[in-house]
Amino acid sequence: MSRLLLAVPAMLGVFVVVFFVIRMLPGDSAEAMLGASATDAQIETYRAAHGLDKPAPVQFWIALKNLFRGDLGDSLSHYRPVLSVVLERLPSTIELAAYGIVLGSVFAVILGVVAASFRGRWPDLIITAYSTFGMSLPTFYIGLWILMVFAVKLDVIPVSASAVEGLPRWKTLFGPVLTIVVGGSLVRTTRSAILEILEEDFIRTARAKGVPKALILFRHALGNALIPIITMVGYGLAVSFGGAIVLETVFGRSGVGKLLIDAITVRDYPLVQGTTFVIALFMIVANLLTDVAAGFADPRIRVAGAGEL
Amino acid sequence: MSDGQRLLEIKDLRISFSVGEDTVRAVNGVSLTLDRGEALGVVGESGCGKSVTFSSVMGLLPSPPAVIEGEIVFDGRDVTKLSDRQMRRVRGKDIAMIFQEPMRSLNPVMRIGNQIVEALLLHGAVSRGQVWTRALELLKLVEVPDAPSRLHCYPHQLSGGLRQRIMIAMALASQPRILLADEPTTALDVTIQAQILELLKRVQRETGMSIVIITHDLGVVADIVDNVAVFYAGVIVEKADKYSLFRSPMHPYTIGLLNCIPTLQTKRKRLYVIEGNIPDPARLPIGCAFSPRCAYATERCLTEKPETRECAPGHFCACHLAGQIDPLNP
């Protein structure tokens, strides 16, 4: 509950910072929208029409009042309410984040457990090398390589998803999801969590009971490793919205991330404001979900509130 | 006793670990027998090889790095030669083990009931339909109060004493023939210690299994064991039935251990201590391992390892001077 209350100042903070930072960028909407050939008079008229002629604090006050009425303003480049533009793009980004997180987590956890169980031997070395490689490369670079291989060489996916109509869903998701999977750091988290837990006394108990190795790994060790793993997955979910900016640009998906980049380019202040606001909201929701999920994985957190039996 | 009674026989067991350049010799030729229904106390300081010896009986030592030589014959089979898969059928089924730290020895994210049921199902002790009934019976056997509701508890909701009872219940799940208890009461309050030992004794009597209690505290086991083996630096320095061991200890180390138990009659103002520390298992003395700390050590003790001799019927001792030292006046 207190977490929910803390979300309010966090959201306001994001709103304030974004508001002033975008206005510090050189150029403004009027120049960007009207182009280099616009006369001074045209620019003045445009600014007055969109309230951009007022001092920044006054603009901020108006935007804040609108925000509390649930109005994120009108987009300067889309000519309709920011909210409807963002909501239209949101499903695409959520879809990408969901597939990326789910597939990425399952894949990474399996690899991490396998690596831990072969500690120091060749499967571990290969998996560790692979994950270090994936983690140390920037997302856009991995994305470009995937495009090179799967779009240019093998031609199984399009170079730009939004440029082709009526694509099957998996073709639009394949590239960016694979990028998330390759670039994830969860393999190492899982591996080190499992290795640490394998040293615990209750693992010795399980072995003394005669529990087979696979069950020790997946039931006893992974069951306990879920707590750090969920924390990492939650973090991954939160940053996936930021990551969407790069992925959607590289793979040409029209999601929230691409929307933000385009909005910054044309200095569509209300749209930048609205998009970052929604992204921030998702990060906070992702954090809350993480806390709830961690509670389910760890009875010591869950039951603590319910009192001792 | 006859061979038909013999359940476990350890023959000249040697266990070493490679640590960097050094070879740490944790167990240096331990021979030991355990009969059906026998309660054996294994006593020694930390690091004397007692836990390592019995971990190897369970096949719980990772090998490598452990190098295990000698034989551990259980029920006619040398368990050191069993494959991992075969060993798993012995572990938990025929030989069960409980540990020192009940606080950390149960899986914190699994309910107590599920952990007991896991043990029951692994070795097919009961049919699937019966497991929960049997789990409840086990909890009652180890005197867990309010047993039905405890099945749904997580370990952190129970006290240390209750957790150790759960550990015992789990160990008893498949009706093992040997229960190895490694310092089962060390981490518990004194009053709880007595309850747990009493419980082990009763369960042993009722089931007829053999039990090995590994401890550093002679006083703890005196009440419930038949025989005592005293470990020092990876060897058994003395083994006898508890009465002759307590009445007429022969090895200077045992004499020292017994003197360490304070009594009201003791006139000494200070507590008795055995001076010095156990030798570094990577650099054991050439002669008797206890000689550097022994008040009676002779030239021979420093250069020649003492053989284990039967100094009185059923009373074994590995000391050149066995029988020549007056235990009452050390």
Side-chain angles (χ1 to χ4, degrees), chain A residues 22 31 44 52 78 84 122 138 197 202:
Chain A
I22 49 172
E31 288 163 21
E44 284 312 314
L52 298 170
H78 291 258
S84 82
W122 63 266
I197 285 158
F202 62 83

Side-chain angles (χ1 to χ4, degrees), chain A residues 35-73:
Chain A
S37 60
T39 63
D40 284 355
Q42 281 175 315
I43 286 176
E44 284 312 314
T45 318
Y46 185 89
R47 284 187 179 149
H50 295 95
L52 298 170
D53 53 342
K54 299 187 178 75
V58 177
Q59 290 184 37
F60 178 72
W61 178 243
I62 295 168
L64 195 62
K65 274 200 295 194
N66 286 337
L67 176 70
F68 279 98
R69 277 193 259 121
D71 179 6
L72 288 168

Side-chain angles (χ1 to χ4, degrees), chain A residues 200-216 219-225 227 296-304 307-309, chain B residues 58-62 88 91-93 95-97 99-101 104-111 115-116 118-119 122-123 149-150 153-154 156-157 167 170:
Chain A
E200 296 275 347
D201 284 354
F202 62 83
I203 296 294
R204 183 181 58 183
T205 307
R207 293 181 61 211
K209 275 155 83 174
V211 179
K213 195 180 172 192
L215 270 184
I216 288 188
R219 183 186 287 167
H220 292 274
L222 187 57
N224 281 275
I227 300 151
F296 273 102
D298 189 351
R300 284 160 297 189
I301 301 174
R302 193 190 334 150
V303 190
E308 300 251 315
L309 270 169
Chain B
M58 286 289 278
L60 284 178
L61 285 183
R88 219 172 54 225
R91 257 199 319 251
K93 184 171 193 297
I95 311 176
M97 192 161 185
F99 303 97
Q100 177 172 357
E101 289 282 351
R104 299 209 313 259
S105 293
L106 289 164
N107 186 336
V109 304
M110 267 174 93
R111 290 178 197 276
Q115 299 196 45
I116 297 175
E118 180 183 48
L122 271 173
H123 301 292
S149 73
R150 301 294 182 189
C153 284
Y154 287 97
H156 72 275
Q157 295 170 300
M167 285 294 291
M170 244 161 55

